[in-house]
Structure formats: structure tokens, C-alpha cells
Amino acid sequence: MSTREDLKRFYALDIDFGKLGLHPGRCADMRYFCTPEDAECFGSPGVDGVHYCLLPGEETVYVVRPSCGQEGQYVLPVAEDFREFLSFLLYCGAEAALEQMPLWDTEEAFQAYLREQGMDTETQAVLDVIASAFGVEAKNPYEKVKAMQRAFDPARLRFSAEYYDVLGLEDPGHSEADIPTEGERPGSAGPHLWLEFVNARLRDTYFSLEELRGSMTVPAGEDIEAMLASIGYYYDPEENQFIHQP
């Protein structure tokens, strides 16, 4: 079963996701400067902007850490797929130890952190439900995650122009000529830039897609919606955003 199918099954469970630090509802607005473009966010502890995501065409689970303050460390892999991620959660008790993995220089320090955190009976009950539902066992993540993060090349990630602005870096993927402007018609920029542009306008300026349409030379907005649908994004009127739907 694929990571995305497992993810749907996971969030269909009748458990307290907050015990794991994976609130699904807190992820809707988790689009920080260091969130990769096209990231499919699925859970967050609601602290320091930390959130977990998948990337298109991949099974790997990533953690996004906006407060880490170090280039190349904002987005890191924490499991090869969602089922492995669950096995790590069973071992750690919650997501925090995985998010903080770069802090542990030795496994002894990692284990000391886990002992200090402990695990209450309610959290153990949640983990027992997950183990039964998915048929997974607890697995020590230390060596595996450390190896994944050592081998990971952050240069493969695609970020918005804001990422490079915040860090004062040269943007390798965008130029001013690439970015759409009000009144411009889709086709002169790629769908990922249009996604960034349209969602930013919906978030900051317009209260609906219909209102946004009035500022753009697009017949009934059909060109935009078709273009974004081609990369799996559809308009959600409740969120007033184009949301990824696998």
C-alpha cells in the first residue's frame, strides 16, 4: 500500500492525533517561507511552525523546521515512507524526537531524551491502535534517520522566491520576468509559479476566487483552474486556497 493510502487510513482512525504531535487541522495554513513548493502537508504539532509533508511523486516523509535558522536544515527526511514513519513514532512516542534528530550527536543522547520524555498511558493506547491497524512494530529511528539526513541533498528541493529573499540567497529558479502579474494570462508562466501567485493573492487580498477573477484577464478563471488541476491542485472555497488533492 502506498504512503498516501496509508496516510488516509491513518487520519481515518479514531484516535487523539495531538498525542503524537500530528494535528491534521493545524496543517492547513502551514505554508512557511521554507515549505517546499508543491509540498503536501499532513500534520503539525502546532509549535514553532514545524510540519510534516510529502513531495509529489515521492513516498519519503519530510519534516519542515522554520525556526532552525540554518540553510540546508529547514527540510529534512525522517522516513522512507509513511509506514516506516509510523514504526518510528511507535518507538519515540511522538514526533518531537524525529523533528529534533539533528540535535543528537550520539544515540546515547537520543535515548536519554526519550527516557526524559517518558510516555503516558493515553499515548501508549493511541500507539497500540496504530500498531494494530497497520501491523507495524516499533523501530529505533536513530541510525536510519541519521543516515538519510547525511545523504540528503537539499539542493533538490524547490522553494518559492520568498525563501531566497528571507535567507538573502540568489534564487536559482525564479526571475522577475517569470513571476505573473495582475492582468497577465496563464501560459506565460508555469503552473507552479501560478499556484504560488494565486494562493498568495487569495490569502492576502481577495476573499474568493470569483473576486480574484475580476482582476485577471482570464475567461471565468477556467484557464487558471485547468492549469492548477494539471498539477493536482483544486480550489477549496472554505480555505480560499488551491489545495493539493492526490
Side-chain angles (χ1 to χ4, degrees):
M1 187 171 289
S2 74
T3 280
R4 286 161 180 79
E5 291 172 328
D6 280 340
L7 191 56
K8 289 179 181 178
R9 285 183 58 206
F10 174 71
Y11 279 113
L13 295 175
D14 184 17
I15 59 175
D16 181 358
F17 298 104
K19 289 293 183 181
L20 309 175
L22 291 173
H23 300 276
R26 294 183 179 177
C27 207
D29 297 323
M30 289 287 179
R31 308 300 301 188
Y32 284 78
F33 75 96
C34 57
T35 302
E37 290 190 334
D38 303 332
E40 304 164 28
C41 303
F42 65 80
S44 168
V47 178
D48 295 331
V50 172
H51 52 291
Y52 291 83
C53 68
L54 309 175
L55 296 179
E58 294 189 30
E59 301 283 303
T60 303
V61 176
Y62 293 90
V63 62
V64 183
R65 310 160 62 236
S67 64
C68 84
Q70 184 177 351
E71 183 190 357
Q73 296 288 303
Y74 287 104
V75 182
L76 292 170
V78 291
E80 284 190 356
D81 56 36
F82 190 71
R83 196 158 292 217
E84 183 175 68
F85 181 68
L86 291 180
S87 73
F88 293 161
L89 283 180
L90 294 181
Y91 189 91
C92 297
E95 59 72 41
L98 294 174
E99 183 265 318
Q100 297 179 51
M101 190 64 76
L103 300 178
W104 320 126
D105 292 328
T106 65
E107 184 169 355
E108 288 74 16
F110 170 68
Q111 295 292 346
Y113 171 82
L114 293 181
R115 289 193 296 273
E116 180 181 341
Q117 296 303 302
M119 189 182 306
D120 60 38
T121 56
E122 292 181 350
T123 300
Q124 185 60 62
V126 168
L127 296 173
D128 289 344
V129 171
I130 294 171
S132 176
F134 286 88
V136 293
E137 298 180 352
K139 179 180 176 183
N140 185 344
Y142 186 82
E143 291 294 340
K144 177 64 176 291
V145 175
K146 280 293 191 181
M148 289 181 69
Q149 294 182 353
R150 283 194 299 268
F152 181 63
D153 180 8
R156 61 184 291 275
L157 299 171
R158 298 179 66 253
F159 294 103
S160 70
E162 182 185 10
Y163 174 83
Y164 302 98
D165 288 342
V166 168
L167 298 182
L169 302 173
E170 182 177 352
D171 184 347
H174 303 87
S175 69
E176 290 187 7
D178 291 329
I179 300 173
T181 59
E182 304 285 356
E184 188 176 356
R185 186 181 182 84
S188 56
H192 296 96
L193 281 174
W194 271 99
L195 174 66
E196 177 186 341
F197 171 77
V198 169
N199 272 348
R201 293 298 184 275
L202 290 170
R203 182 183 66 243
D204 301 334
T205 307
Y206 300 100
F207 295 104
S208 69
L209 179 59
E210 192 65 34
E211 186 178 349
L212 174 62
R213 286 170 178 162
S215 72
M216 310 180 77
T217 57
V218 182
E222 292 177 357
D223 290 355
I224 287 179
E225 291 181 89
M227 177 183 289
L228 298 186
S230 73
I231 57 172
Y233 283 80
Y234 300 86
Y235 181 66
D236 182 334
E238 291 187 4
E239 297 288 342
N240 193 32
Q241 291 280 282
F242 279 85
I243 305 294
H244 188 268
Q245 297 180 20

